[in-house]
Amino acid sequence: MGSQNQTWTTEFILLGLSRDWSTQVSLFVLFLVMYLVTVLGNFLLVLLIRLDSRLHTPMYFFLTNLSLVDVSYASSIVPQMLVHFLAEHKIIPYLSCAAQLFFSLALGGIEFVLLAMMAYDRYVAVCEPLRYSVIMHGGLCTRLAITSWISGSINSLMHTSMTFQLPTCTNKFIDHISCEILAVVRLACVDTSSNEVIIMVSSIVLLMTPFCLVLLSYIQIISTILKIQSSKGRKKAFHTCASHITVVALCYGMAIFIYIQPHSGPSVFQEKLISLFYAILTPMLNPMIYSLRNKEVKGAWQKLLGHSLD
């Protein structure tokens, strides 16, 4: 019975970023402001899309989903982290840790697949402009979005159940800012090589497959853009994709760096910084990127603000 009691723990302790009190207070203020900007920015973008009928297109339907995913992802990690900055004992209950891992992993996976769907939308817009409305009809967009949500959730459910079946014995200190999958797997007091192989394989499927689809889409897009005779036409086609390319580079780049090679990947501290970048900075930047680099969104903002001033 003693060994059985050691196998399961009722709570974990997150080591976080720093043990220095003044540093933690500074980080609390910084990340609180960034989190509020993230929530407000994404909420305003979704509201703008809902209010402006010109933005009721497939591209902005997917962008609405992306904003909801970003806010949900940040909310699955940041509030807990903020509480821990001001807490002496950074304890997270077993079930809360499992829930955090599930939701963060699921939402991350959903975002990767969603970005691939958005790349397909841009491919049809640039390469098949005359058939765009026929191909990207409401039913297809809904099915593509549902596919993103289901695939990410199933992948996360599989990993969460496998990870929390590992015996941790007396290990309860998670050297991370959250219940991140690799950090939790490291607590196991048994060989976890099979788990790490599964993480790598699923990362290839859920990260690299959509990423390859994005690359193929943009190879076709670039090929089509280069065939456009007028420089004005090429510039317009490029601007259609510029925001999405920037977001893809941010999201896929960080995640691939972390997960594809668990053994030879970054150090624990680098993992924490990358996770912070992905959980806070990327969701905060996405609405800014789509607002600043997109003429339609900027026009919608000007129209809305103009009406408000009138």
Side-chain angles (χ1 to χ4, degrees):
M1 289 294 293
S3 61
Q4 181 69 20
N5 290 337
Q6 287 183 327
T7 302
W8 305 102
T9 183
T10 58
E11 61 187 26
F12 297 102
I13 298 173
L14 292 166
L15 298 183
L17 286 172
S18 173
R19 295 183 182 181
D20 179 70
W21 173 249
S22 60
T23 301
Q24 291 186 81
V25 172
S26 299
L27 290 173
F28 171 83
V29 174
L30 173 64
F31 292 137
L32 176 62
V33 171
M34 293 177 73
Y35 177 64
L36 293 176
V37 171
T38 296
V39 174
L40 181 62
N42 282 282
F43 171 76
L44 289 176
L45 184 59
V46 171
L47 183 64
L48 181 70
I49 292 170
R50 294 282 294 176
L51 292 176
D52 196 314
S53 59
R54 294 175 302 174
L55 302 182
H56 294 176
T57 64
M59 174 181 173
Y60 295 103
F61 168 76
F62 290 122
L63 184 54
T64 298
N65 277 265
L66 184 66
S67 289
L68 293 175
V69 169
D70 280 339
V71 170
S72 301
Y73 185 87
S75 298
S76 71
I77 293 175
V78 180
Q80 176 72 59
M81 186 174 64
L82 292 174
V83 169
H84 280 180
F85 279 138
L86 303 181
E88 184 178 355
H89 303 290
K90 307 181 192 307
I91 295 170
I92 182 168
Y94 180 90
L95 290 178
S96 297
C97 186
Q100 186 179 66
L101 192 152
F102 170 76
F103 284 110
S104 60
L105 199 60
L107 291 162
I110 291 166
E111 181 152 351
F112 301 138
V113 180
L114 195 59
L115 287 171
M117 304 304 183
M118 294 174 76
Y120 176 69
D121 171 70
R122 294 300 82 204
Y123 159 75
V124 177
V126 174
C127 301
E128 300 283 349
L130 299 179
R131 299 177 59 217
Y132 179 74
S133 59
V134 176
I135 297 173
M136 299 302 296
H137 56 84
L140 177 63
C141 293
T142 301
R143 287 195 294 272
L144 291 175
I146 290 173
T147 299
S148 302
W149 286 85
I150 291 177
S151 58
S153 299
I154 291 174
N155 176 71
S156 180
L157 183 62
M158 176 189 72
H159 280 301
T160 303
S161 59
M162 288 182 59
T163 300
F164 280 88
Q165 286 177 12
L166 291 171
T168 58
C169 300
T170 57
N171 300 330
K172 60 193 302 185
F173 292 93
I174 300 176
D175 193 5
H176 212 277
I177 59 170
S178 66
C179 290
E180 195 267 348
I181 185 167
L182 293 177
V184 176
V185 166
R186 291 191 194 103
L187 295 183
C189 52
V190 295
D191 180 35
T192 61
S193 56
S194 59
N195 292 77
E196 293 184 2
V197 168
I198 292 171
I199 291 171
M200 186 177 69
V201 170
S202 72
S203 297
I204 291 171
V205 172
L206 202 65
L207 291 180
M208 296 308 295
T209 302
F211 184 63
C212 289
L213 292 175
V214 171
L215 286 179
L216 288 174
S217 296
Y218 275 105
I219 288 171
Q220 292 295 322
I221 288 170
I222 292 169
S223 176
T224 301
I225 290 175
L226 292 176
K227 293 176 184 176
I228 298 174
Q229 297 297 320
S230 68
S231 59
K232 185 178 179 180
R234 287 196 297 270
K235 187 176 180 180
K236 182 180 178 181
F238 175 76
H239 277 297
T240 301
C241 307
S243 299
H244 184 256
I245 292 173
T246 307
V247 172
V248 164
L250 285 172
C251 293
Y252 280 103
M254 292 298 104
I256 290 170
F257 187 60
I258 298 172
Y259 291 109
I260 295 301
Q261 293 181 319
H263 279 300
S264 58
S267 68
V268 172
F269 182 69
Q270 287 175 323
E271 280 183 13
K272 293 179 184 180
L273 294 181
I274 294 167
S275 294
L276 280 172
F277 180 91
Y278 188 64
I280 299 180
L281 197 59
T282 302
M284 184 181 73
L285 290 176
N286 283 353
M288 296 180 185
I289 292 168
Y290 275 98
S291 296
L292 296 174
R293 296 182 64 88
N294 189 297
K295 289 183 179 179
E296 291 176 330
V297 175
K298 283 194 288 187
W301 277 121
Q302 290 169 356
K303 179 183 175 183
L304 183 64
L305 293 173
H307 282 310
S308 299
L309 292 173
D310 293 339

